[in-house]
Amino acid sequence: MKANNVRHGALEEYAPNHFMVHDIRVRPFIRGEGDVEGNRFVMTSWRRDGLMARLAERGLVMVTIESLTESLPELPAPFPIADEPRWQPLGHPSERWSYYDPRQRAVVACETLTQADQQGVWLYPGCMVRRRRGRGQAEWYRSQVQGTHTLQYTPIDDDSALLQGLAQATRYPHDPIMVRAGENGAVVVTIPLLPRAHQAVLARCATGDRDGLVWQCHPDHLHLVVGVLARVNLVLTNSESNPHA
């Protein structure tokens, strides 16, 4: 085992109160604070803050779900979206376009239309748009006005496109996301698609479906989910059917 691991810290929380031991120097400090098996440590004591303080005094970092949440990117300044759409001809019949709709906080497929014997789609300048050619990899762009009739596209990575789409969504009213009761005492939330970094932290305190849209967790861990969602301005509200949330 390495004596120091800057990336993951001396202790890394991979699930609530469950840690991976990355630095052997923490062993004297975690003794008596919980159960240790190999390089895994399950904290059972209530002295979490005290343990963090003692480790910090010796230059050892305890990476927690909360600290990972605080390091997540916040929403960028939203680009303005034009009120009027512009026509985008298809480059190939197999080409498909979609866009991030900030009103729905979701990726929406564009309807392919025919205009003057030409197939194409209508796109709003400023929106995050996605183009797929046949079965190829989808590519994201920021659409911008260029000249009188055309659009210009600036390539953007998937996560940046989602962050920008969520930022643009802050300009529109949305109801809080409902927390509802799940099976076996769990609580469930259905959320917009998040960037991979946000999903990775969320996966440490909740379990998501294959699409990354429906997540469930123990009621005691809901505050951790709330913290991750707050980074992208998503607000939860309790369901009357779920007194534990």
Side-chain angles (χ1 to χ4, degrees):
M1 186 181 301
K2 294 182 179 180
N4 194 13
N5 191 315
V6 175
R7 179 182 177 187
H8 300 292
L11 281 178
E12 178 190 3
E13 191 172 25
Y14 62 89
N17 292 318
H18 288 65
F19 296 85
M20 185 74 70
V21 178
H22 292 299
D23 194 318
I24 57 175
R25 292 177 294 172
V26 306
R27 289 189 174 275
F29 300 98
I30 62 178
R31 189 178 299 120
E33 302 290 350
D35 302 321
V36 181
E37 184 174 348
N39 63 346
R40 303 296 177 97
F41 165 57
V42 179
M43 190 168 190
T44 58
S45 79
W46 53 268
R47 296 183 293 268
R48 181 183 175 106
D49 291 344
L51 175 60
M52 290 181 64
R54 292 194 300 274
L55 291 175
E57 288 176 356
R58 288 157 179 81
L60 300 171
V61 177
M62 182 174 173
V63 175
T64 65
I65 294 174
E66 289 92 342
S67 65
L68 290 171
T69 298
E70 292 174 0
S71 69
L72 287 172
E74 294 183 312
L75 295 180
F79 298 135
I81 300 175
D83 295 327
E84 297 294 329
R86 292 208 174 186
W87 178 252
Q88 171 61 50
L90 296 189
H92 191 274
S94 67
E95 193 172 87
R96 295 293 179 266
W97 289 81
S98 55
Y99 69 102
Y100 192 94
D101 184 351
R103 291 179 175 85
Q104 300 183 56
R105 291 192 296 211
V107 181
V108 177
C110 296
E111 181 182 4
T112 300
L113 303 170
T114 301
Q115 180 174 281
D117 296 326
Q118 184 183 54
Q119 285 191 314
V121 297
W122 288 101
L123 297 172
Y124 285 89
C127 272
M128 301 299 103
V129 298
R130 188 174 67 180
R131 179 178 62 179
R132 184 187 298 274
R133 296 174 177 174
R135 297 183 179 180
Q137 183 74 24
E139 299 173 327
W140 279 97
Y141 303 90
R142 176 195 175 191
S143 58
Q144 299 167 270
V145 171
Q146 184 181 47
T148 307
H149 302 290
T150 60
L151 288 169
Q152 174 184 339
Y153 300 100
T154 303
I156 188 171
D157 63 84
D158 297 15
D159 291 343
S160 296
L162 288 175
L163 277 177
Q164 178 57 220
L166 288 164
Q168 291 174 329
T170 62
R171 293 181 167 177
Y172 301 92
H174 293 92
D175 292 331
I177 297 170
M178 189 69 71
V179 177
R180 63 184 189 275
E183 298 180 356
N184 302 319
V187 292
V188 181
V189 294
T190 300
I191 63 174
L193 185 62
L194 301 181
R196 283 167 291 190
H198 297 70
Q199 288 198 55
V201 177
L202 196 57
R204 294 177 185 242
C205 53
T207 303
D209 66 352
R210 61 181 298 175
D211 297 319
L213 300 177
V214 181
W215 295 80
Q216 61 178 335
C217 69
H218 190 281
D220 291 347
H221 305 152
L222 184 58
H223 69 285
L224 298 171
V225 173
V226 169
V228 175
L229 299 185
R231 298 293 290 183
V232 287
N233 202 48
L234 297 179
V235 180
L236 301 186
T237 186
N238 295 343
S239 167
E240 292 181 358
S241 62
N242 180 21
H244 301 291

